[in-house]
Amino acid sequence: MNIAIAADHGGFELKEILIKHYAKQNLILKDLGTYSEESVDYPDISKKMADEILSKKSDLGILICGTGIGISIAANRYKGIRAAILYNSDVARLAKEHNNANIAVFGGRMMSADDCIKNFDIFLNAKFEGGRHDRRICKLDID
Ligand code: RB5
């Protein structure tokens, strides 16, 4: 499974922590930037990630901004992207089981790194249930 990660300046610090944490577990996250705390625009970061997922270069993504809100709004404008803020452990599980989210989102200024890691691990280990949820997901992409 190939996983990419990207953040704006509000999520830069958390991105670095997650990259280091998962590298220790032999899970290399593909870093799409940003590469410093210099201010950038979160829609540009979401576009980069949406292109990465929709072109199937990576199977899953992690996006981080200050709150998680702007970067998820922007990502969810791309057809085929299902970005979900994993703000607690139940939501992390359901984001996979029911929504088959392909991007996990965190608020770098709102959540502890430990909670993000815990929630992302739950998300990774959960399985999409399909069935009625698949039917609903198919209704998400509107022309
Ligand atoms: C950047 O200051 C901040 O607005 C951004 O990281 C994010 O929280 C937007 O939703």
Side-chain angles (χ1 to χ4, degrees):
M1 158 123 14
N2 297 318
I3 305 177
I5 187 166
D8 76 353
H9 52 289
F12 173 75
E13 193 182 340
L14 176 60
K15 173 171 73 69
E16 298 303 298
I17 293 171
L18 296 186
I19 288 170
K20 284 193 191 102
H21 170 82
Y22 284 108
K24 279 188 209 146
Q25 308 201 356
N26 294 319
L27 178 56
I28 305 304
L29 303 176
K30 181 174 176 185
D31 188 357
L32 304 181
T34 187
Y35 302 108
S36 76
E37 287 185 336
E38 195 179 317
S39 183
V40 292
D41 297 336
Y42 59 79
D44 298 333
I45 307 295
S46 295
K47 181 183 186 326
K48 220 170 176 183
M49 180 61 81
D51 289 346
E52 178 79 11
I53 300 294
L54 295 173
S55 65
K56 301 191 191 305
K57 286 186 194 129
S58 291
D59 306 301
L60 281 180
I62 301 173
L63 276 176
I64 314 166
C65 68
T67 58
I69 294 175
I71 214 157
S72 55
I73 291 173
N76 278 316
R77 296 201 171 195
Y78 294 86
K79 203 171 169 179
I81 293 297
R82 294 177 302 281
I85 305 179
L86 308 186
Y87 57 84
N88 70 31
S89 49
D90 284 336
V91 166
R93 179 176 51 79
L94 289 165
K96 178 65 77 54
E97 288 180 353
H98 288 191
N99 309 110
N100 202 18
N102 47 17
I103 299 181
V105 183
F106 297 111
R109 294 174 178 152
M110 303 294 153
M111 301 175 73
S112 72
D114 284 351
D115 281 347
C116 295
I117 289 166
K118 182 184 76 181
N119 294 347
F120 188 66
D121 287 345
I122 290 169
F123 173 77
L124 266 189
N125 288 314
K127 298 269 171 294
F128 179 49
E129 288 178 0
R132 69 188 189 281
H133 300 297
D134 199 32
R135 184 181 71 236
R136 291 166 187 165
I137 281 174
C138 289
K139 292 183 179 181
L140 289 173
D141 292 330
I142 301 157
D143 284 319

